[in-house]
Amino acid sequence: MTENEKELEKLTGVVERIVYQNKENGYAVVEIEVGEAEFETIFGTLPYISEGEVIAAYGDFVNSPKYGRQFRVQSYEKQLPQSEDMMIKYLSSGTIKGVGPAMAKKIVTKFGPQTFDVIENNPEWLSDIHGISEARAEKIGEQFREQHGLRNVMLFCRDFFSPSVSVRAFKKWGTSATEIIRSDPYILCEDSFGVSFEKADNAAQAMGHAPDSRQRLFAGVKYVLNHNANQNGHTYLPLDKLIKATVALLGASPEKVGDAVVDLVKAGVCTEKKYDGRPCIFLKKYYDAEQYICSKLRLLENSNIIADEKNLNRAIDLCEMEEDIKYAPMQRKAIIKAVNSGVMVLTGGPGTGKTTVIRAVVKIISRLGMRYALAAPTGRAAKRISEATSEEAKTIHRLLEVTYTDGEQQQFIRCRTNLLTEDVVIIDESSMIDVLLMSALLDALKPGAKLMLIGDADQLPSVGAGNVLADIIASDTVNTVHLKEIFRQAEQSLIVTNAHDINEGRYPDLHTKNNDFFFLPRQTDEETAETITQLCKVRLPKTFGPEILENLQIITPTRMSCCGVEALNVRLQAALNPPAFEKKEKKARGVIFRQGDKVMQTKNNYDILWIKDGVEGAGIFNGDIGKIIKVDNMAEELVIDFDGRITEYDYSLLDELEHAYAITVHKSQGSEYKTVIIPAFHFSKRLLTRNLLYTAVTRAQQMVIIVGDEQAVNDMVDNDRHTLRYTSLREQLSDFS
């Protein structure tokens, strides 16, 4: 018995009835018989549980107003039934497919108390029974070993990892899982398991692995590379920086870390390249992605010209008549290049007419009989371009028909063996695309297809690894049109003019009283935070109606300080969604999730199932924002509405959620909100930059409110520092040309 189990109650009994079972995540509600005619209801993660099994469950009793007394399971183990009657009930419960009550009785009658030993170790003996072939006998043995192999894996892992990790490990390695994990616990740091390096490292130490073991050194190097890809956007690290960071993580010597890097390169896990004479180390998937992007873009650039300039200008003239518009010279140039180029980039700030160009391109290629697709990296961005063009738009994931299996990394049905059929693919908000997604998109484009990338290169780069749009533009190897002219209607908006001023290094106009851009000066950070709270709670709803809160977002540069994400979310939850008798809540990691809370998913999770308008789907992604509509402490789940996608979040997933009353500028990328509130305060110069302020302001459609210190705003404009990203796409494209 583990240390944890000594603090938990133990409940032993026979599974009488499975009330509810989710085979995807293992959650179940089960009735067990703990004594003669005495039953208890248990619930929790109970993977592979079947009626007739004898189990020992560890947990505690809870009382629910709705369901009464129930036993909440933290872990459980299976115990094989001993009596022949219980053996028959177990075998015929559906645990072993194809064995019904009659066949179960024959098996137990023949082998008696040795039944389970025979099935596990000598299943071929079952073929002596009439009706069981040799193949069927072997199949029965396989299923039995699978059921009880999982038991061993869960028992082995329960001190270190969650039951869901045990299930995934067993699905991947079967009965070998225990030995594989024992020999290298760090293997669970792979994406398909999602175990943190810290947890794996703690497990390894408990299992007796040496601090300088090869597995630990390898895992440390890979962790540093992965962390810098996921958190800092680097597709590689210079060797000296990689060694220094890994030494700091592991406490190992630089020589041993260096040797580990060499071995990983030899094994093909990492790739080494030199840039400016400096050795640089990639995780192979990032090097391969950037290399493939480069080669595929070159192939697509050779797409045929489909319309001569004379006919194309006539088509553009017709669009002008239909739209009652006159295209600016650069817009006309962009339309021509988009139609006749294999790859084309359209970039520009707000109000410069990017959407107008997209509408014209769609009309022209449609008249030419070409099939096309509109897409964007996020659901919000796809919805916005769909509304602007009156055309269907999808997320890139949906366009590529993302799928998932047993918690593995996402897979795209559309790929080089099952190409997209569209002749033209138009991607909006392309600054958000990371190298892995761009590689997957290009992999699915058929030869001769045309690709149009639209985005604002001056915004922050993608959350994921790479700097795709900026690198493509900087390489000067792809047809690029940069729209700079602000059109008359947009000129009337201070949001647009101030955004362009910020981007060009001029201070925004904070003093003109206008209906879409406001500045509220405050002396201290505390006053700033309090004003933002009062704006959301009282002033804005009183002036514009409570519905303004439905599409309002506070966007802040940082997570820390009283004007950062964490402190503002605490304030705003208390002000906008305070505790109430009718609102249930769940506390996790010191955070209270309450019915009615605005929340955000913080990592891509392709396993989460949802339903929207009767259609089922899967996947909630990093940055998706939703509202908690139900807290079910009995079922241990939240029900969340993500823009119409209704999904159930098991409590084990709460570490992937955080409140979203306030979010960072990085998390706001690709989204637009009717109203944006931005706190302006003094913080790290590394964070308070011009492009960060520019990105925040350009998230607003109808109103921007900046609250705080005017000097802090001006300091951000003055700080044109761009965060360095180690990426190789620009160099590869330039070298290729």
Side-chain angles (χ1 to χ4, degrees):
M1 185 180 295
T2 68
E3 187 69 26
N4 286 338
E5 285 167 355
K6 291 177 183 178
E7 302 170 5
L8 300 173
E9 294 185 63
K10 179 180 178 181
L11 203 61
T12 303
V14 180
V15 178
E16 182 66 24
R17 184 169 73 96
I18 296 175
V19 180
Y20 170 80
Q21 187 173 38
N22 183 330
K23 293 186 178 180
E24 293 295 328
N25 59 25
Y27 180 82
V29 180
V30 175
E31 283 186 2
I32 64 172
E33 185 175 9
V34 295
E36 191 168 343
E38 183 182 352
F39 300 90
E40 295 285 0
T41 299
I42 67 173
F43 67 95
T45 302
L46 300 156
Y48 292 116
I49 199 163
S50 300
E51 291 179 1
E53 290 183 311
V54 179
I55 66 167
Y58 299 91
D60 56 354
F61 281 101
V62 295
N63 285 298
S64 164
K66 185 174 181 180
Y67 299 104
R69 178 177 132 120
Q70 291 190 319
F71 190 80
R72 178 171 51 199
V73 179
Q74 300 295 324
S75 65
Y76 90 107
E77 56 189 64
K78 296 183 179 184
Q79 300 175 345
L80 291 176
Q82 301 299 314
S83 72
E84 293 189 3
D85 285 345
M86 292 307 298
M87 286 182 180
I88 293 170
K89 184 174 182 179
Y90 171 73
L91 289 174
S92 60
S93 66
T95 298
I96 311 296
K97 292 179 181 177
V99 177
M103 185 59 69
K105 187 172 183 179
K106 287 182 182 180
I107 294 172
V108 174
T109 298
K110 182 169 182 64
F111 297 109
Q114 280 72 49
T115 294
F116 292 142
D117 182 62
V118 168
I119 293 173
E120 183 171 10
N121 300 306
N122 301 101
E124 67 277 7
W125 294 0
L126 298 176
S127 61
D128 293 341
I129 298 173
H130 180 68
I132 300 181
S133 65
E134 290 184 5
R136 188 179 178 189
E138 187 57 41
K139 190 70 175 174
I140 290 171
E142 285 178 9
Q143 290 183 57
F144 186 87
R145 286 191 294 272
E146 180 178 291
Q147 289 287 326
H148 295 281
L150 174 64
R151 170 181 177 269
N152 295 332
V153 175
M154 292 186 71
L155 285 171
F156 174 73
C157 288
R158 67 185 177 188
D159 289 341
F160 312 110
F161 311 115
S162 69
S164 61
V165 171
S166 303
V167 172
R168 288 182 179 183
F170 184 74
K171 284 182 176 179
K172 185 166 186 174
W173 297 308
T175 54
S176 303
T178 298
E179 197 53 44
I180 289 171
I181 295 170
R182 190 194 309 276
S183 64
D184 184 7
Y186 300 101
I187 200 169
L188 297 179
C189 294
E190 293 178 3
D191 291 341
S192 56
F193 299 105
V195 172
S196 68
F197 177 83
E198 183 181 11
K199 278 190 176 182
D201 202 33
N202 290 338
Q205 290 181 38
M207 294 175 196
H209 285 259
D212 59 351
S213 69
R214 282 171 58 85
Q215 292 96 331
R216 187 168 188 260
L217 290 167
F218 288 172
V221 171
K222 290 189 289 184
Y223 169 79
V224 170
L225 288 170
N226 266 316
H227 175 80
N228 276 279
N230 296 329
Q231 300 299 320
N232 301 320
H234 303 310
T235 58
Y236 70 84
L237 285 180
L239 178 60
D240 57 331
K241 289 184 175 292
L242 173 60
I243 290 176
K244 183 178 179 181
T246 308
V247 166
L249 173 72
L250 302 179
S253 69
E255 292 75 20
K256 288 189 174 181
V257 172
D259 290 343
V261 173
V262 170
D263 289 343
L264 286 169
V265 171
K266 287 179 179 177
V269 175
C270 296
T271 300
E272 180 177 354
K273 292 291 174 181
K274 283 190 176 182
Y275 295 108
D276 296 326
R278 191 181 192 185
C280 300
I281 307 297
F282 298 75
L283 283 172
K284 187 175 185 297
K285 64 179 179 180
Y286 293 114
Y287 177 77
D288 289 349
E290 289 190 318
Q291 188 178 54
Y292 181 73
I293 291 168
C294 177
S295 61
K296 187 63 178 278
L297 287 177
R298 284 291 173 231
L299 287 174
L300 293 176
E301 279 195 315
N302 297 323
S303 175
N304 294 329
I305 292 176
I306 62 172
D308 61 61
E309 191 166 336
K310 184 177 179 181
N311 287 330
L312 193 46
N313 275 308
R314 285 176 181 168
I316 295 172
D317 292 341
L318 180 59
C319 287
E320 285 183 327
M321 291 175 58
E322 291 174 344
E323 295 280 334
D324 190 21
I325 194 173
K326 182 68 175 176
Y327 299 122
M330 289 302 290
Q331 286 181 310
R332 183 173 282 261
K333 179 181 178 181
I335 296 166
I336 293 171
K337 284 190 176 291
V339 174
N340 273 340
S341 300
V343 182
M344 184 264 188
V345 173
L346 176 65
T347 186
T352 56
K354 296 191 297 294
T355 303
T356 301
V357 172
I358 297 171
R359 283 200 299 263
V361 171
V362 168
K363 278 196 171 192
I364 292 170
I365 62 178
S366 181
R367 283 176 179 149
L368 290 170
M370 304 180 75
R371 289 168 293 185
Y372 61 89
L374 285 170
T378 67
R380 283 180 177 268
K383 183 179 180 181
R384 191 175 68 252
I385 194 64
S386 179
E387 291 170 347
T389 61
S390 300
E391 300 283 343
E392 181 189 12
K394 302 176 179 178
T395 63
I396 298 174
H397 286 84
R398 187 175 162 216
L399 177 68
L400 300 181
E401 299 177 27
V402 68
T403 187
Y404 63 98
T405 53
D406 298 332
E408 298 290 336
Q409 281 185 292
Q410 84 272 19
Q411 299 174 8
F412 295 113
I413 293 175
R414 294 293 182 177
C415 58
R416 69 186 63 184
T417 58
N418 183 26
L419 297 168
L420 292 167
T421 59
E422 285 81 8
D423 304 302
V424 182
V425 174
I426 301 171
I427 306 294
D428 196 20
E429 292 288 355
S430 296
S431 63
M432 294 184 65
I433 303 177
D434 61 45
V435 291
L436 297 182
L437 185 57
M438 187 65 176
S439 176
L441 173 65
L442 292 172
D443 191 48
L445 295 187
K446 67 181 184 180
K450 295 177 181 296
L451 176 65
M452 182 179 182
L453 300 173
I454 302 107
D456 188 343
D458 294 316
Q459 290 183 15
L460 295 172
S462 60
V463 174
N467 201 7
V468 174
L469 183 66
D471 280 351
I472 290 174
I473 294 171
S475 73
D476 199 24
T477 59
V478 170
N479 279 317
T480 301
V481 176
H482 194 157
L483 300 179
K484 296 182 179 180
E485 180 182 350
I486 304 173
F487 291 94
R488 187 176 303 165
Q489 185 176 358
E491 283 180 341
Q492 299 171 7
S493 167
L494 264 184
I495 294 175
V496 172
T497 56
N498 275 340
H500 282 271
D501 284 343
I502 291 166
N503 195 37
E504 292 167 17
R506 296 188 296 270
Y507 298 149
D509 181 353
L510 300 181
H511 304 291
T512 297
K513 299 300 179 183
N514 191 284
N515 63 355
D516 74 350
F517 202 105
F518 300 91
F519 174 66
L520 303 179
R522 293 296 182 267
Q523 297 298 313
T524 67
D525 291 355
E526 177 63 32
E527 289 177 5
T528 298
E530 181 57 28
T531 298
I532 290 172
T533 305
Q534 290 305 309
L535 280 169
C536 296
K537 182 179 180 181
V538 180
R539 295 172 62 176
L540 290 174
K542 183 178 179 180
T543 304
F544 299 100
E547 60 273 11
I548 193 173
L549 297 179
E550 293 299 317
N551 205 341
L552 176 151
Q553 187 61 59
I554 292 92
I555 300 177
T556 180
T558 179
R559 298 190 62 85
M560 308 309 292
S561 94
C562 68
C563 290
V565 164
E566 294 181 8
L568 282 177
N569 273 324
V570 172
R571 282 179 179 266
L572 291 163
Q573 182 194 39
L576 303 178
N577 191 33
F581 177 76
E582 68 277 7
K583 293 179 183 178
K584 292 186 178 180
E585 55 187 47
K586 166 65 179 177
K587 188 172 184 179
R589 332 186 296 277
V591 177
I592 294 173
F593 293 99
R594 184 176 296 131
Q595 182 181 334
D597 273 343
K598 185 177 182 180
V599 292
M600 179 173 61
Q601 174 74 7
T602 60
K603 62 183 287 188
N604 290 341
N605 189 321
Y606 303 92
D607 293 351
I608 298 175
L609 304 177
W610 50 259
I611 186 166
K612 181 176 182 179
D613 300 327
V615 178
E616 293 184 350
I620 300 295
F621 303 110
N622 187 2
D624 284 354
I625 290 177
K627 182 178 181 181
I628 299 175
I629 56 178
K630 184 179 180 182
V631 178
D632 191 336
N633 287 318
M634 182 54 61
E636 291 198 315
E637 66 182 20
L638 306 180
V639 180
I640 305 176
D641 180 350
F642 286 97
D643 199 22
R645 293 170 296 163
I646 308 300
T647 183
E648 296 174 351
Y649 265 67
D650 185 85
Y651 282 175
S652 63
L653 298 175
L654 292 186
D655 60 348
E656 298 180 10
L657 280 181
E658 63 182 33
H659 289 108
Y661 298 101
I663 63 175
T664 62
V665 181
H666 285 84
K667 291 291 187 182
S668 74
Q669 286 176 264
S671 297
E672 281 190 349
Y673 311 92
K674 289 182 180 178
T675 304
V676 167
I677 300 177
I678 305 168
F681 56 100
H682 291 281
F683 200 67
S684 167
K685 284 190 175 182
R686 187 176 64 86
L687 293 174
L688 301 183
T689 63
R690 182 187 301 174
N691 70 336
L692 193 113
L693 177 61
Y694 173 72
T695 301
V697 169
T698 55
R699 298 307 87 208
Q701 294 172 312
Q702 298 178 5
M703 187 190 305
V704 168
I705 304 172
I706 297 181
V707 184
D709 184 354
E710 182 172 357
Q711 187 57 49
V713 175
N714 294 342
D715 288 346
M716 292 179 80
V717 175
D718 290 337
N719 184 6
D720 195 25
R721 177 183 183 274
H722 289 260
T723 303
L724 172 67
R725 284 198 171 192
Y726 292 114
T727 65
S728 71
L729 181 58
R730 175 183 176 179
E731 286 77 6
Q732 290 201 49
L733 284 167
S734 299
D735 291 345
F736 201 94
S737 59

